[in-house]
Amino acid sequence: MLSPYDEYPVHQTSRPLSVVADTSTGFDDGYYFGAFSAVERTFCFQGLRISPNTDLIGGYVGLQRNGRQRTVRFSRTWRDNCATEVGPYRISVIEPYRHIRLELAPNDSGLTCELNWYGSAPAYLEAHHLATNRGRPTTDQSRYSQPGTVEGWIDIDGDRISVGPPHWYGSRDHSWGVYFERAPLAPAPGLLPPRQPEGVGRAMRFWTLFGSGDLSGFYAIHEDAHGRQVPMNDTFGTPFEGRLTVGWDKEVYELVAGRCEIELVDGTRLLRSGRVVLTDSAGGEWIQEVEPAGLPWVTSTIGYQAGSWRDGGSMRTYHGPGISVEWDEIDVSTQPFDHTQHDGTVQRDLIGKEYLVQTRTTAPDGREWIGAGQTELFLDGPFAPLGLK
């Protein structure tokens, strides 16, 4: 079938754009957006993904504030209406890469918003993501990341939060392709040979998008269990990449190396603080200090995992005819904690991986900026530099 996008001369195959070249049910395309203020200790996270091979579009909007995390989820079949909207939620591209409007209309959750997301620097196309298992690609994906600013409002139960300068910043990414397999739409492990991924596995991911007045930036650091930055067979396998920008393009600093010194909360894998040294292509060293403005938000409620929906499904599964909308609220004021998914699965000692951080960035020439950012810290399995087993 034709979609509105077929009006434009952007086709990559001989088929309409609603038909993708890969038949995997793991092929999807979609957005993530963050709007946050370290001063107000408030993080609004939202996203939308289209799964063309299951004819579904789903998304979420969540707010973490005062130790509570409320998330509303929505889903419908996609080809009935090939638009970036699901029930009360809509994403509108006003100007590509420059201005995106995010709207959540009144719904039963009591959470609504109207936000204008503005890019503060050009989007950064990350290195292609590829991971394999027994020769078969399990991730084959492109992604770009972009820092920004946000203006508008968020309302929760009638409490209107004003969003805008100078303390509110934004993060976003857009990815498409085959993403890693997630239950319940994944092969039953018992029917396949044991997993045998090729290459080196990742143990640490330190990914940051931040804004600080006219300075903004993106960088990602990935290391194996021994703390080595080497090519890895992982969803996020690029050892290092990033860029810093003053203004939209007034000053551009391509980053060629980075290392981070991480301090954890005693007895946990929670981030206490970080010091990151970034080297630009001219050899200059930038120092960024990051400190969480509170405990991280958790991804268990946004719909990516089996059991995150009340029927036991996920964003990739069918939830019935028409528009499906549901919501829940959890207490994240103490971490680690045990969280029970809607299918009964208990996630023991759960901690969030998505941090709202305060940033202090010092340039090689001594200039300094104070701001805020989103830092993803993944510590999976053993990691020798921090003594994790």
Side-chain angles (χ1 to χ4, degrees):
M1 64 169 287
L2 292 175
S3 74
Y5 312 108
D6 289 300
E7 180 71 35
Y8 299 95
V10 295
H11 296 83
Q12 298 294 304
T13 73
S14 61
R15 303 288 185 177
L17 285 174
S18 64
V19 180
V20 295
D22 194 298
T23 61
S24 169
T25 57
F27 186 100
D28 63 7
D29 189 342
Y31 301 107
Y32 162 79
F33 290 91
F36 47 83
S37 168
V39 173
E40 299 194 26
R41 298 176 179 268
T42 300
F43 203 124
C44 180
F45 48 92
Q46 53 194 279
L48 179 148
R49 299 204 72 80
I50 297 166
S51 299
N53 292 330
T54 55
D55 193 25
L56 291 170
I57 178 173
Y60 59 92
V61 177
L63 183 72
Q64 201 241 50
R65 191 184 192 209
N66 299 326
R68 307 293 298 183
Q69 180 173 313
R70 185 176 301 182
T71 311
V72 55
R73 297 176 292 274
F74 23 83
S75 176
R76 64 169 173 83
T77 54
W78 177 55
R79 287 184 174 84
D80 303 329
N81 176 18
C82 293
T84 51
E85 61 181 47
V86 187
Y89 186 62
R90 176 191 294 266
I91 295 177
S92 303
V93 179
I94 309 303
E95 182 180 358
Y97 307 109
R98 293 276 192 168
H99 181 191
I100 314 291
R101 183 169 296 134
L102 310 170
E103 301 170 278
L104 179 62
N107 60 88
D108 291 342
S109 74
L111 177 62
T112 58
C113 70
E114 185 174 307
L115 299 171
N116 289 288
W117 198 101
Y118 299 101
S120 56
Y124 184 96
L125 179 62
E126 299 180 23
H128 189 74
H129 297 177
L130 178 66
T132 60
N133 174 42
R134 291 184 174 270
R136 179 177 64 89
T138 54
T139 295
D140 185 5
Q141 184 192 67
S142 292
R143 178 190 304 264
Y144 62 76
S145 299
Q146 187 178 23
T149 59
V150 191
E151 297 181 16
W153 54 265
I154 305 164
D155 193 289
I156 183 165
D157 298 334
D159 180 10
R160 180 69 59 101
I161 304 167
S162 181
V163 174
H167 301 303
W168 282 84
Y169 293 96
S171 55
R172 72 176 289 222
D173 70 34
H174 178 189
S175 60
W176 60 96
V178 177
Y179 205 20
F180 68 90
E181 296 166 342
R182 288 179 293 224
L185 292 184
L191 301 179
L192 298 175
R195 289 187 63 83
Q196 194 178 68
E198 296 84 5
V200 177
R202 174 189 52 81
M204 190 275 288
R205 168 174 167 84
F206 197 98
W207 175 99
T208 297
L209 278 165
F210 74 94
S212 302
D214 62 348
L215 172 71
S216 61
F218 158 77
Y219 60 87
I221 302 172
H222 299 111
E223 296 178 356
D224 72 359
H226 303 287
R228 300 176 302 173
Q229 294 182 21
V230 295
M232 286 163 269
N233 183 33
D234 182 77
T235 304
F236 310 111
T238 306
F240 176 81
E241 57 188 332
R243 182 172 62 206
L244 305 177
T245 307
V246 178
W248 180 265
D249 56 4
K250 180 181 177 182
E251 300 176 38
V252 179
Y253 301 92
E254 299 293 341
L255 300 176
V256 297
R259 66 182 188 275
C260 56
E261 303 162 2
I262 299 171
E263 182 179 349
L264 301 180
V265 176
D266 292 344
T268 77
R269 298 190 178 212
L270 285 164
L271 177 66
R272 183 189 298 279
S273 64
R275 182 179 184 271
V276 183
V277 180
L278 303 167
T279 304
D280 63 34
S281 57
E285 283 196 344
W286 298 70
I287 307 298
Q288 183 170 87
E289 300 168 14
V290 301
E291 181 178 345
L295 289 169
W297 60 271
V298 302
T299 59
S300 300
T301 63
I302 65 177
Y304 280 8
Q305 303 169 2
S308 53
W309 273 75
R310 295 187 184 279
D311 61 7
S314 71
M315 186 186 298
R316 288 181 169 180
T317 62
Y318 181 61
H319 303 289
I323 307 295
S324 298
V325 181
E326 64 178 36
W327 67 278
D328 49 33
E329 182 172 303
I330 61 174
D331 184 347
V332 294
S333 61
T334 301
Q335 299 184 33
F337 67 105
D338 292 345
H339 173 67
T340 303
Q341 294 282 76
H342 293 297
D343 63 355
T345 301
V346 179
Q347 298 175 316
R348 302 287 184 189
D349 296 323
L350 182 66
I351 65 171
K353 298 181 178 181
E354 309 292 343
Y355 291 85
L356 167 57
V357 296
Q358 299 170 331
T359 62
R360 179 190 299 270
T361 310
T362 305
D365 60 10
R367 287 179 294 170
E368 188 175 273
W369 292 265
I370 305 295
Q374 177 180 356
T375 291
E376 284 189 349
L377 176 61
F378 293 6
L379 292 169
D380 302 317
F383 186 58
L386 293 176
L388 300 177
K389 301 184 183 302

